[in-house]
């Protein structure tokens, strides 16, 4: 296998080089349808321990509200889009319904939950400082907690009362940048990039729990029980890079990641063994179009292949350097450059297919698998994703001002389960079509999960957020049946549910034998972990927080004693 890592840290002095280059109704499932922040509240002794059914209730979180001076007009904002009220909380949750007794472990959710620093309010959902939410289930009881991740970016913002690192769209004002980071040169080395790990959370094969974002330095090990920020997750290899796919593929034995190369447009595919911090170079894909690689927030794998997407929404050097956000933030839409799907053999690192596909916009791949003929030969790769009809305006919809100002108008752009078929017979063209009628899930589609036993293999069910219109954000939970091409939907008026995360029942045989867990920010300002029976998609229980939580992104499951 070729061992030529392309991503020396100097090669990804990206910025420098690129600057030159250029209630009840709806609870049923249905077919169709400048100062320091508030001080941490002490935790109730014993509330963390879950050896016995929790008996001690921590005092409810006092509503220590961060009140930014610069606010969007209208105070009738949903709790989903308000900054988390205090740095941390923990306590026993009131359970309504019956939690399955087999549900024994911790659900963790990460996301940008704090959008204010001092009196300054952030503009984009993705800018917020990472807030981890935990719900630990045992013997039909639930203990909940939330806590801010103590990234350097978060700590600096609290200390200085201003943004000190380059976030998704926010950048430090020159004075604070100079005073905190010290020198302009840091812009060129990547040291000014954020380590705000606000996107995903994964449990590695060796048990470590890591919060992630798109910057490599924003990989942070946390303790799933205390939610303590433990350490930086540092790679011990020479692959370098400043940014990577926010979603690695993680199994009990391995970890796959994609590193975009912005100097020589392409992607490096790397693999890491469980228990190791050393990524190994597997192969490289050269981009076929455009001045820079396409944004690669996630990617899918099959049993034998890694699918490398080349989306026409591409990184943009100029925009990476800009102080003010552009309509597409750090990216640019290049439909003329073409859209491609590349397939790399996991074992050899060789690119075995590279096909042009219709333009697409996707952040989240659902799954992929190998299509075989009667003789068992692999004829094509099927890759499914949450596809935004090649419309980049979803990024604008996720601006906090837009999320906070729902007028009743149906403004959420349409999305679908986009199914790519990538032939492996040498044909130059691949297909992209909706896997089912998007009306089944209200033309909303994002934040997906599957049964992890089907990762990279044929599968039937996906769980995601869909839409009940009119809306300005995905507001339903949906179970997609890719065989019957139907969806079951959960909806509660005014609720903002996050990614429904599938947790299999131990010993399950059926693909959908388990539960789907989602954190819901309710219309009345409350919040709860919703547990749906994954088969029927009906509510089995909800575990209520004594306060509302902001919206969050991705989740993982940490089984007890693993
Ligand atoms: C891209 C660069 C940066 C940061 C990027 C970040 C933090 C990207 C985060 C992306 C996320 C959270 C995407 C989620 C999409 C969710 C959707 C579409 C949901 C739809 C509705 O359900 C910097 C590190 C700031 C700079 C370099 C480039
Ligand atoms: Fe994501």
């Amino acid at each position: 296998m070729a061992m030529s890592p392309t991503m020396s840290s100097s090669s990804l002095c990206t910025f420098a080089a690129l600057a030159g280059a250029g209630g009840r109704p709806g609870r049923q499932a249905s077919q169709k349808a400048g100062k320091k922040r508030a001080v941490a509240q002490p935790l109730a002794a014993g509330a963390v321990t879950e050896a016995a059914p929790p008996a001690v209730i921590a005092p409810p979180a006092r509503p220590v509200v961060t009140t930014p001076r610069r606010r969007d007009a209208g105070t009738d904002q949903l709790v989903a889009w308000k900054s988390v009220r205090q740095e941390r909380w923990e306590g026993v949750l009131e359970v309504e319904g019956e939690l399955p007794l087999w549900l024994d472990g911790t659900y963790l959710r990460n996301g940008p939950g704090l959008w204010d620093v001092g009196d300054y309010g952030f503009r984009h959902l993705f800018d917020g400082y990472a807030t981890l939410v935990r719900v630990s289930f045992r013997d039909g009881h639930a203990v909940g907690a939330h806590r801010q991740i103590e990234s350097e970016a978060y700590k600096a913002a609290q200390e200085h009362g201003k943004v000190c690192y380059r976030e998704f769209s926010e950048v430090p004002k020159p004075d604070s940048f100079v005073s905190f980071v010290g020198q302009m040169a840091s812009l060129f080395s990547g040291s000014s990039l954020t380590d705000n790990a606000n996107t995903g959370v994964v449990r590695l094969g060796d048990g470590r729990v890591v919060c992630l974002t798109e910057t490599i330095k924003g990989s942070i090990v946390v303790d799933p029980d205390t939610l303590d920020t433990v350490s930086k997750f540092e790679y011990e290899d020479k692959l370098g890079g400043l940014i990577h796919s926010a979603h690695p593929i993680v199994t009990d034995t391995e970890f796959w990641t994609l590193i975009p190369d912005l100097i020589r447009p392409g992607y490096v595919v790397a693999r890491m063994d469980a228990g190791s911090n050393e990524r190994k170079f597997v192969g490289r894909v050269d981009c076929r179009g455009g001045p820079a690689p396409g944004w690669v927030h996630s990617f899918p794998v099959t049993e034998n292949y890694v699918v490398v997407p080349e989306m026409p929404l591409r990184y943009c050097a100029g925009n990476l350097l800009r102080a003010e956000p552009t309509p597409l933030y750090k990216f640019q839409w290049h439909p003329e450059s073409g859209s491609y799907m590349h397939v790399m053999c996991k074992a050899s690192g060789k690119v075995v297919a590279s096909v042009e596909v219709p333009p697409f916009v996707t952040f989240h791949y659902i799954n992929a698998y190998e299509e075989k003929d009667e003789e068992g030969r692999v004829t094509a790769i099927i890759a499914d994703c949450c596809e935004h009809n090649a419309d980049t305006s979803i990024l604008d919809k996720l601006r906090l001002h837009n999320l906070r100002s729902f007028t009743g108008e149906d403004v959420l752009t349409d999305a679908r389960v986009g199914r790519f078929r990538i032939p492996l017979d040498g044909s130059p063209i691949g297909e992209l079509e909706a896997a089912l009628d998007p009306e089944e899930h209200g033309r909303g589609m994002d934040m997906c999960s599957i049964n992890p036993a089907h990762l990279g293999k044929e599968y039937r069910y996906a769980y995601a957020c869909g839409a009940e219109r009119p809306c300005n954000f995905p507001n339903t939970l949906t179970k997609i049946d890719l065989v019957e091409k139907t969806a079951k939907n959960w909806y509660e008026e005014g609720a903002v549910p996050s990614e429904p995360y599938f947790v299999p029942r131990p010993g399950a045989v059926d693909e959908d034998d388990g539960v789907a867990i989602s954190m819901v920010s309710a219309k009345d300002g409350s919040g709860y972990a919703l547990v749906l029976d994954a088969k029927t998609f009906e509510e089995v229980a909800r575990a209520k927080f004594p306060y509302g939580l902001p919206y969050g992104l991705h989740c993982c499951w940490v089984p007890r004693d693993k």
Side-chain angles (χ1 to χ4, degrees):
M1 183 185 304
M3 281 297 295
S4 69
T6 56
M7 305 288 292
S8 66
S9 42
S10 62
S11 83
L12 263 180
C13 283
T14 316
F15 300 115
L18 285 177
R24 302 303 168 192
R27 293 180 68 185
Q28 303 289 322
S30 66
Q31 289 290 137
K32 284 208 174 189
K35 303 157 210 109
K36 291 206 179 191
R37 269 180 53 70
V39 179
Q41 185 133 341
L43 299 180
V48 203
T49 358
E50 295 141 48
V56 184
I57 300 187
R62 297 298 307 159
V64 185
V65 182
T66 53
T67 42
R69 257 183 257 140
R70 207 196 70 185
R71 273 189 168 248
D72 281 304
T75 49
D76 190 22
Q77 289 170 10
L78 291 174
V79 68
W81 316 123
K82 285 184 189 162
S83 283
V84 68
R85 296 184 283 187
Q86 59 189 48
E87 201 168 69
R88 59 192 292 192
W89 179 86
E90 178 166 49
V92 176
L93 305 182
E94 183 197 332
V95 175
E96 196 178 292
E98 297 269 317
L99 284 169
L101 292 175
W102 60 260
L103 195 60
D104 194 13
T106 292
Y107 157 92
L108 286 174
R109 190 196 72 175
N110 192 7
L114 175 66
W115 297 282
D116 306 281
V117 179
D119 59 1
Y120 182 73
F122 291 174
R123 288 168 281 193
H124 200 278
L125 176 66
F126 301 164
D127 284 322
Y129 292 111
T131 306
L132 261 181
V133 178
R134 167 175 89 91
V135 184
S136 297
F137 299 94
R138 186 174 214 185
D139 296 335
H141 298 270
V143 173
H146 87 256
R147 187 158 173 181
Q148 290 306 111
I149 295 177
E150 288 166 12
S151 61
E152 294 304 323
Y154 170 73
K155 289 190 295 189
Q158 299 315 302
E159 178 75 19
H160 298 269
K162 47 195 170 190
V163 175
C164 298
Y165 287 84
R166 298 175 82 87
E167 302 295 338
F168 174 76
S169 79
E170 300 292 343
V171 302
K173 303 285 172 278
D175 64 323
S176 65
F177 175 73
V178 170
S179 63
F180 183 75
V181 185
Q183 47 174 326
M184 281 303 288
S186 60
L187 224 177
F188 296 86
S189 69
S191 62
S192 61
L193 274 181
T194 189
D195 65 342
N196 173 20
N198 69 0
T199 303
V201 52
V202 294
R203 181 184 167 277
L204 304 182
D206 61 10
R208 286 177 292 177
V209 175
V210 183
C211 295
L212 296 150
T213 184
E214 306 226 348
T215 58
I216 289 180
K217 69 196 279 203
S219 307
I220 296 181
V221 181
V222 295
D223 181 321
D225 298 322
T226 60
L227 304 187
D228 281 345
T229 298
V230 175
S231 64
K232 277 275 167 78
F233 184 94
E234 267 160 341
Y235 292 112
E236 292 162 0
D237 57 52
K238 300 234 156 48
L239 285 183
L242 296 177
I243 53 179
H244 59 181
S245 153
H247 295 276
I249 300 282
V250 183
T251 70
D252 283 349
T253 54
E254 56 184 17
F255 174 106
W256 291 87
T257 181
L258 276 192
I259 311 166
D261 183 343
L262 306 192
I263 304 299
R264 197 156 62 94
Y267 308 87
V268 166
V269 176
R271 182 190 169 280
M272 193 171 74
D273 283 320
S276 159
N277 281 41
E278 186 187 352
R279 297 167 299 180
K280 299 239 170 77
F281 175 86
V282 173
R284 185 191 149 87
V285 173
D286 289 322
C287 285
R288 287 179 55 188
W295 184 3
V296 62
H297 181 74
S298 74
F299 64 98
V301 299
T302 69
E303 288 175 286
N304 297 296
Y305 301 97
V306 178
V307 179
V308 180
E310 187 180 337
M311 178 162 78
L313 179 60
R314 296 176 184 273
Y315 294 93
C316 171
N319 291 350
L320 280 160
L321 287 163
R322 249 178 260 277
E324 282 301 311
T326 75
L328 291 178
Y329 301 92
K330 313 289 193 239
F331 309 95
Q332 236 171 22
W333 180 238
H334 286 285
E336 76 296 342
S337 70
S339 311
Y340 309 90
M341 295 297 269
H342 313 275
V343 179
M344 182 183 286
C345 172
K346 283 180 173 174
S348 68
K350 293 215 165 74
V351 178
V352 298
S354 175
V355 299
E356 183 153 14
V357 292
F360 63 97
V361 168
T362 187
F363 302 95
H364 297 120
Y365 286 84
I366 302 172
N367 196 19
Y369 59 90
E370 294 157 17
E371 184 188 87
K372 296 187 176 142
D373 64 14
E374 282 122 33
E375 273 84 49
R377 284 181 300 243
V378 181
T379 51
I381 302 294
I382 305 297
D384 294 341
C385 66
C386 306
E387 205 276 309
H388 293 265
N389 288 348
D391 183 351
T392 59
S393 61
I394 181 67
L395 281 178
D396 183 64
K397 304 289 175 218
L398 301 179
R399 274 196 298 126
L400 290 162
H401 171 76
N402 292 335
L403 295 169
R404 289 170 178 162
S405 50
F406 180 53
T407 58
E409 216 187 314
D410 191 27
V411 292
L412 179 70
T413 46
D414 293 358
R416 58 182 179 161
V417 177
R419 171 160 286 192
F420 290 98
R421 186 174 181 281
I422 309 164
L424 295 188
D425 63 358
S427 359
I429 304 291
E431 295 157 24
L432 169 60
E433 276 167 11
L436 76 165
D437 180 352
E439 291 295 345
E440 283 285 327
H441 46 83
R443 292 173 280 112
M445 176 51 51
D446 220 303
M447 310 307 290
C448 46
S449 76
I450 60 162
N451 182 330
H454 288 256
L455 177 74
K457 303 179 184 149
E458 268 201 77
Y459 73 119
R460 176 168 179 177
Y461 302 110
Y463 309 87
C465 296
E468 171 84 25
R469 293 174 183 270
C471 60
N472 67 339
F473 189 79
N475 57 352
T476 67
L477 298 170
T478 185
K479 174 188 179 184
I480 304 294
D481 182 333
L482 290 158
V483 171
E484 293 291 330
K485 302 195 180 300
T486 56
K488 285 186 163 87
N489 300 298
W490 176 94
Y491 169 71
E492 193 168 271
E493 209 244 312
V496 183
S498 61
E499 177 180 275
Y501 193 78
F502 178 82
V503 179
R505 187 179 63 78
V509 175
D510 291 350
E511 187 184 328
D512 57 352
D513 187 353
V515 292
I517 306 178
S518 167
M519 288 293 312
V520 180
S521 308
K523 189 183 184 181
D524 65 2
S526 66
Y528 54 90
L530 176 72
V531 181
L532 300 176
D533 178 326
K535 263 188 198 293
T536 62
F537 224 51
E538 295 200 349
E539 176 173 343
V540 293
R542 53 178 71 185
K544 299 159 150 182
F545 278 72
Y547 55 99
L549 281 161
Y551 178 74
L553 296 168
H554 301 290
C555 323
C556 75
W557 176 251
V558 181
R560 188 175 304 278
D561 301 332
K562 247 198 125 184

